[in-house]
Structure formats: structure tokens, C-alpha cells
Amino acid sequence: MTTLSSVKTTSGLASVLAMVVMGVVLMFVAGHAQSATLHDAAHDMRHATGFPCH
């Protein structure tokens, strides 16, 4: 049982660490991208998912 508990803890820690890394990367990319680039990306995604935006 101890080994199973250790594996679950390691797996949970890896998931949290992966989410933190993804969040930092997203903030870095969004922080340094041109605002027009972010707008165009969001605009294209809204059209791709069929959500009307204008």
C-alpha cells in the first residue's frame, strides 16, 4: 500500500507541476505578443467554433 500511495502523490505532483509550467508559458507568451496578434487569434477561434462575434 505504501508504494501505491507514493505513486499517487508523485502523479499528483507531476500534474500540478505541468499546470504551473503551462500557466507560466501562457503568461509569458501573452505578455510578449502583440495585442493585434492576440486579438486575431481569439477572433479566429471564435469563428472556428461557430460563436458569432459581430
Side-chain angles (χ1 to χ4, degrees), residues 16-30:
V16 169
L17 184 60
M19 290 276 94
V20 168
V21 168
M22 286 174 53
V24 168
V25 168
L26 180 63
M27 291 299 289
F28 182 78
V29 170

Side-chain angles (χ1 to χ4, degrees), residues 1-53:
M1 288 288 185
T2 304
T3 304
L4 183 58
S5 178
S6 176
V7 170
K8 284 184 179 180
T9 303
T10 303
S11 177
L13 181 61
S15 297
V16 169
L17 184 60
M19 290 276 94
V20 168
V21 168
M22 286 174 53
V24 168
V25 168
L26 180 63
M27 291 299 289
F28 182 78
V29 170
H32 291 311
Q34 298 287 333
S35 63
T37 303
L38 293 176
H39 171 79
D40 292 343
H43 190 247
D44 291 345
M45 281 306 298
R46 290 181 76 147
H47 282 292
T49 58
F51 191 82
C53 58

